[in-house]
Amino acid sequence: MGHRHYNGVKTAALFGLMWAALLAIGWLLGGGTAQYVLLFAGLGLVMTAVSYWKSDTIAIKAMRARPVSEAEQPAMYRIVRELSTAARQPMPRLYVSPTAAPNAFATGRSPAKAAVCCTEGILGILDERELRGVLGHELMHVYNRDILTSSVAAAIAGVITSLAQVAFWFGGDRERSNPLGGLLLVLLAPLAATVIQLAISRTREFDADEDGASLTGDPLALASALRKLESGTKARPLPQERELVDVSHLMIANPFKAEGMAKMFSTHPPMAERIARLEAQAGTIGGITRY
């Protein structure tokens, strides 16, 4: 619970930094007035609402996933039914994506509207215990409302970038602002917003790992699955197409090649660190509160 409390505070602090960057650029662009801040903040809220409301449709379409019956995927249904019952939450819809790249994701604006998807690749490399660990992780993304969190972070980052572009081309009130300071703010704010968005995503992954392992009572199962996913995604990375990039933060493992600068801008924390945390959690399994 200590880690989880810390992660919650960290997420709130990161959101505070994003809003500070948004206000600063809006203030610069408006020449010391709040009109641009209010305009772009309103636009950001609209973008967030649309992204959040359609999150399940967007992700499922991007992965070309299809709904599956219990007869087709009895293990998925059995595991998800057991875990959702244990968590006292409704059963989500289950999907399978035809891609050979091993991965899984959950989406949906609420537990009642949730969907969980596994790729054919992940179903082919995990045993049932490891699959249970992965599905526990994905369910906790839904229960922790991480889809809303990621949607808001992405929308605010997008607004900051748009504001910075407008400020770069049209500027603010030159008589009231420091030109050099304004230029630095315009250039650095979008980068800072992206880094903060990534930090929020990584924080939520740690929470889903910890809470999912608590739900299943088996941290080492998820750790074992992550080891397989690390090698599996390296061997079969997804193409960096726009629609896949937009939903990649939902997946349990980074689906793209993480080399060089790409590692710095990954939406997922390093697998080695995630596995180490799960192994440490397994050492205190007796103290974990089950749902």
Side-chain angles (χ1 to χ4, degrees):
M1 291 300 292
H3 274 142
R4 195 172 187 281
H5 174 72
Y6 169 77
N7 285 342
V9 172
K10 182 179 178 181
T11 299
L14 290 169
F15 269 121
L17 289 174
M18 292 188 86
W19 277 107
L22 175 62
L23 291 170
I25 295 182
W27 192 263
L28 172 69
L29 192 59
T33 65
Q35 57 184 343
Y36 284 96
V37 176
L38 295 175
L39 174 63
F40 281 90
L43 178 60
L45 290 174
V46 172
M47 292 170 60
T48 300
V50 172
S51 176
Y52 180 50
W53 196 262
K54 295 290 186 180
S55 62
D56 54 345
T57 304
I58 294 170
I60 289 167
K61 182 179 179 181
M63 291 298 290
R64 304 187 309 280
R66 65 178 182 85
V68 290
S69 66
E70 187 166 3
E72 292 175 280
Q73 291 295 334
M76 277 185 69
Y77 268 84
R78 180 172 61 256
I79 293 169
V80 173
R81 183 179 291 114
E82 290 174 358
L83 294 179
S84 57
T85 299
R88 297 182 177 87
Q89 297 287 348
M91 175 87 175
R93 293 167 290 141
L94 301 185
Y95 289 78
V96 169
S97 167
T99 179
N103 232 307
F105 66 89
T107 186
R109 60 185 181 272
S110 69
K113 300 291 185 180
V116 174
C117 178
C118 292
T119 66
E120 290 181 356
I122 199 172
L123 294 174
I125 66 171
L126 300 187
D127 61 31
E128 187 166 323
R129 178 181 168 228
E130 293 164 338
L131 180 61
R132 184 182 179 89
V134 166
L135 292 173
H137 169 104
E138 296 304 334
L139 288 172
M140 290 312 306
H141 271 311
V142 176
Y143 303 156
N144 289 341
R145 308 285 176 159
D146 287 339
I147 288 79
L148 174 60
T149 302
S150 61
S151 296
V152 172
I156 297 175
V159 172
I160 290 173
T161 300
S162 298
L163 264 175
Q165 291 172 345
V166 172
F168 181 81
W169 289 110
F170 299 102
D173 189 329
R174 302 300 184 184
E175 296 180 357
R176 298 185 187 181
S177 61
N178 182 322
L180 179 59
L183 181 61
L184 287 174
L185 178 63
V186 166
L187 293 176
L188 295 179
L191 177 61
T194 298
V195 171
I196 293 170
Q197 180 189 354
L198 296 177
I200 290 173
S201 178
R202 293 174 184 179
T203 299
R204 306 321 299 163
E205 285 301 313
F206 281 134
D207 270 354
D209 283 346
E210 181 180 349
D211 294 343
S214 296
L215 179 60
T216 64
D218 191 358
L220 294 182
L222 180 55
S224 178
L226 293 181
R227 287 192 184 90
K228 289 185 178 181
L229 285 170
E230 183 174 26
S231 58
T233 51
K234 285 181 180 178
R236 295 178 179 271
L238 289 179
Q240 291 194 334
E241 299 170 354
R242 177 60 185 271
E243 60 180 3
L244 294 176
V245 171
D246 288 345
V247 300
S248 62
H249 65 281
L250 295 175
M251 300 181 192
I252 190 170
N254 180 6
F256 308 121
K257 282 187 176 180
E259 299 176 349
M261 289 292 291
K263 285 187 177 181
M264 295 179 60
F265 292 94
S266 173
T267 54
H268 296 69
M271 281 295 195
E273 186 174 354
R274 295 173 68 181
I275 291 169
R277 288 188 178 213
L278 287 165
E279 290 175 339
Q281 185 177 351
T284 58
I285 190 67
I288 292 177
T289 300
R290 300 200 182 193
Y291 288 77

